Amino acid sequence: MPNNFKRHLVFTTLFFLLIIIFAFSITTPAYEGIETYYIRYDVKSSKNKIINDNLLMIPAKNDFRAENFSQILTKGVIPAASGESKAAINKRIRENSLKTILVNKGLKSVKAKDLDTVVSYEGVIVTPIDIIKNNYQEERNGYFYTAQIEFSPIAFPDKWEPLNTKSKIKKMFHNFFQLFK
């Protein structure tokens, strides 16, 4: 009788553990696919003057380094250019809002050699970038905007190994439950 009780207890515990893991995997959004992008903004300076900046945006399928996504509102202004189409204005607004979010909330790293310095800001976004407000003000000759972005900074390198393990376990359980669909 005690062996049956132990076996029953083990199976019951495993069953409830699987239910909890399944419920966790359903309620946790999967930020994968083409809508998830790794973004990095590099600002290069030489002799204390900014000489170059570069915004990089690439698909981030299965990037485990992003941990805490949140909706972030950003406000700013871009100068108006004559003859610019609405699509070009929206593109500049999106780029400027990404740079602002990265500088304010992204993971920062600095590389320096002699008098040259590169400051990098990294994060992950989920598209689309929603432009909530876009108003032209003639007296300032610029577009004032408000944009909303779902953003997560890249985790510090010392957290990458546990996040990678967690990601692999989640993927394993996701694949396991796909067998039953």
Side-chain angles (χ1 to χ4, degrees), residues 3 7 14 18-19 23 30 39 42 46 51-53 65-66 68 71-72 89 95 117 119 133 147-148 153 165 179 181:
N3 285 337
R7 189 176 315 140
L14 286 175
L18 284 174
I19 289 174
I39 55 175
D42 296 324
S46 181
I51 58 171
N52 190 13
D53 68 339
R65 299 175 298 167
N68 298 320
Q71 294 283 336
I72 299 175
I89 292 167
E95 286 178 2
T117 304
V119 180
K133 193 181 345 178
Q148 182 174 351
T165 304
L179 293 173
K181 286 187 176 184

Side-chain angles (χ1 to χ4, degrees), residues 150-165:
E150 193 165 350
F151 177 80
S152 172
I154 296 292
F156 284 106
D158 63 335
K159 294 185 179 181
W160 289 359
E161 188 63 35
L163 286 173
N164 189 19
T165 304

Side-chain angles (χ1 to χ4, degrees), residues 43-103:
V43 180
K44 184 176 182 179
S45 62
S46 181
K47 299 179 185 174
N48 297 324
K49 291 184 182 179
I50 296 176
I51 58 171
N52 190 13
D53 68 339
N54 184 36
L55 181 65
L56 173 72
M57 186 170 164
I58 57 174
K61 188 173 178 90
N62 300 325
D63 195 340
F64 60 87
R65 299 175 298 167
E67 182 172 38
N68 298 320
F69 281 89
S70 60
Q71 294 283 336
I72 299 175
L73 282 176
T74 180
K75 297 179 181 188
V77 62
I78 59 168
S82 62
E84 194 172 29
S85 69
K86 184 169 177 110
I89 292 167
N90 287 340
K91 180 181 177 189
R92 287 197 310 134
I93 287 173
R94 286 184 178 96
E95 286 178 2
N96 196 50
S97 61
L98 287 174
K99 290 176 183 179
T100 302
I101 293 272
L102 283 168
V103 168

